[in-house]
Amino acid sequence: MKKRIIVKLAAFAVVVCLLASLFAGCTFFKVNEGRIANAELYTIKGYNGINLTLTRNEIIDYFNNYAYTLTNSYGYSVEQALDFVVESKIKNKYLVTYAMSVLTTNYEKRIPVLVGKGTVSLPKDVLTWAEYYAAVYSVNSSIKSSVDDSLKTAAEKAVLSAYNEISKENIASVEFTESTLAYLKSEYYVNQEIDKNQIKINIFYDDETQASDILVPSSLYTTAFASDAEATDSTMVIGVDEKIISSSGTTYETHTLEHTYSVVSPRATETKAEVTDEDAITIGTVSVNRYATVDKIKEALGDEAFNDLVILDLDAKYAALQKSASANADEIDAYRLIIENLSNSYKTITYVYDSAFESAVSSAFSFEKQRELMQAYDSDYWEKEVLAEFKYLYNNAKQTYDETNDVDDAVAIAFASEIKSNLDAYYYHPVVPNLNNYVYVYQILFNFSDAQKKLLELVPSNEDEKNVYFEYLKNSIESQVSNPSYDADYDCPKHELGLVDEPCKYMSEELEDGEPEHVESDCPSLAYMTDSDGNYIVEKFVDVYSRLSAELTAIVGENLENLTSPDAQRSSLEVFKNYMYQYNDDSGIMNSATGYLIAPEGVDDPNGFYESFVDLAHAVFSANPNVGNAFVSDGENGYKLGYAFTDYGVHLIMISLKPFADYNNVELLSGASDEEILNYIKTTRINIAGELEESDPNSNTIYKVLLTSLKDAKKSKLYNDFTNALISQDLHKDENIVTINKKKVDQLYKDVLGE
């Protein structure tokens, strides 16, 4: 049973995972001499007269990729691992022949954009142009990655070589250069990198001479720069070993340089839901339609990226670089290494591309066949399936509460604990007192500064006295303003690596039609907004408070009368969320679909929040219990934007969700008909506030979520059933389908097993 499961998982292994080892020359099994490497061990007689061969090279590549995992994680012997590889490859080849026979005829959308224009000679012929270019990209990007790695290694060797030429005797001191001290910062973002080419040292000798502007080799970093996680006192350590020769022998004394820094997470940006095209395929980072014409693909990628999607001739590229007077010697050597690694394994670049095309055929067929198989099931079928699934989930959840002690407090406590963080998978609620008073809130927290926190440590613990200080400090609380365009993956040399003399990448990008002119302060590598001098923009809480209050008042009116309107609720939420992503210092609320749960007054807070925070939420609810309210009663003055203090800082709160507004002292869907249940799950989106809109990609109704899950499971099962019926368990032993070159197969097993 174990073996069959792994075969299913690995049958369509994408060739990309093999490319790194091909170009780098790293293998589990290395014996593969030229005279036998490309020998055809098996011939698979497939559909419509399509024959494919399985070479020793293909088996060895697949074996090298999976043998370690199979033998170490699954307990296979080496022979069993090789059996698995051979069986999987034969079955995959056979399925590819079937795929090739139907991809050109059975799916009309493909026919106008097939690479082979209807001919079926090679696997690539049955691909659409988008599938073809995606496969080409996978190979070319692996080659580029290999070249980049070689260039990096060569550069590090050059730095080390230059360092080794410098005297390490009679050292008085070692110091960072002034340019390095100016470059290094006291604070970095999580995953932000530094440019090691900016890290230079001066070595001062006893005779008052010096070696200047020395690049630091990687081997000297006894503690490397690291920014993979938040930390308050990270230290980068560089050690230079001074060679000391005396009558008693040679010893070494280390001169150490340190740079201490903090690593912080920048404020999160809002994750926008994207409307996905089920026909989309990715080429690099660009999504294109699977059935796009060449012109449409070129338009989506841009001329430069599209022109790079060619079958590379490595020998020609290498020869051209050798003839070029301006060519980088290390780049020439990088291509030489790739060519040598392929040659040493007796492969050509054509072999690599063909492997990618064959894998792409498998993926294309899987996509098309799954969609075809799903067409047999209409909306009535899925409605019944979703209804049955919901009833199952409903009854499971109900049973949990039925087993709870028959005490109101126990039910309420269990209920609050359950929904505080798991509302998007919540299918049932029991009879709970004041159910419609359970709400969720968004918040904007303005943190106290470190200096303000130290001051507050001196304040008496009496709440009234603390509030006096809180109100006093309110006028000086500040926050940096987030850049809404921030993208942690955007690499601008100037703003990501701190290379101030480099141009801003964002400013140099070509503007698309209708795109507003770029401003450097909007560069996606900047987490926070800057002014014209590059300084971070800081705003006071009181100014932000006044501006937010005015914007919300303009939407809801002086008496909050408009908050019964879904449009007003949605508009208020959008305004508040925009401010939240610009100013909020509470990372826990960012990109939360619901917000924080606030239980009704009299019910224990399940979150352990500060009392003042919960009191503010209740005051907001009391003033107006509708989604979108952030105001509290202000006596004769009407209403004001509510705020509260905790030891963290000052908080603003808005009701973000009221999921049980229509239920109070009523068990959800108790005694409901199937029609009523379907209406409920089709019109209720548990985890998003506001009015339901079918065109909104965020409209994840209960029905839609369950339907997607059920369809995914059905799709996988149907496809597995189809392939299992098409490919028998012992197909690889069927002599009518598989012709075996026994002598060469026996030799392969002897070589692998070391016999």
Side-chain angles (χ1 to χ4, degrees), residues 318 322 330-341:
Y318 179 54
Q322 285 182 307
D330 294 330
E331 184 180 10
I332 295 173
D333 198 51
Y335 277 95
R336 177 188 62 78
L337 286 172
I338 292 174
I339 292 169
E340 284 185 2
N341 286 332

Side-chain angles (χ1 to χ4, degrees), residues 129-138 140 281-289 292-310 510 512:
W129 282 108
E131 293 162 350
Y132 170 83
Y133 285 127
V136 171
Y137 178 88
S138 70
N140 291 3
I281 190 169
T282 301
I283 303 175
T285 59
V286 179
S287 180
V288 300
N289 189 281
T293 62
V294 173
D295 287 342
K296 287 292 184 182
I297 295 170
K298 184 176 182 179
E299 180 182 330
L301 295 175
D303 290 346
E304 183 178 354
F306 178 80
N307 292 335
D308 286 339
L309 295 177
V310 295
E510 186 176 339
E512 298 180 5

Side-chain angles (χ1 to χ4, degrees), residues 14 96 214-215 393 403 405 455 464 533 557 633:
V14 180
V96 167
I214 305 163
L215 280 172
L393 295 168
E403 294 169 357
N405 292 331
L455 175 62
D464 291 336
D533 295 325
S633 177

Side-chain angles (χ1 to χ4, degrees), residues 585-603:
D585 292 322
D586 171 26
S587 60
I589 198 69
M590 307 298 253
N591 286 304
S592 167
T594 56
Y596 292 134
L597 172 68
I598 301 295
E601 292 188 65
V603 177

Side-chain angles (χ1 to χ4, degrees), residues 176-189:
F176 284 123
T177 64
E178 289 187 11
S179 65
T180 299
L181 291 172
Y183 173 74
L184 291 171
K185 300 189 296 185
S186 60
E187 184 175 279
Y188 293 89
Y189 301 141

Side-chain angles (χ1 to χ4, degrees), residues 15 19 23 134-144 349 352-353 356:
V15 75
L19 297 177
F23 296 133
V136 171
Y137 178 88
S138 70
V139 177
N140 291 3
S141 62
S142 292
I143 293 173
K144 182 181 183 302
I349 192 63
V352 180
Y353 282 110

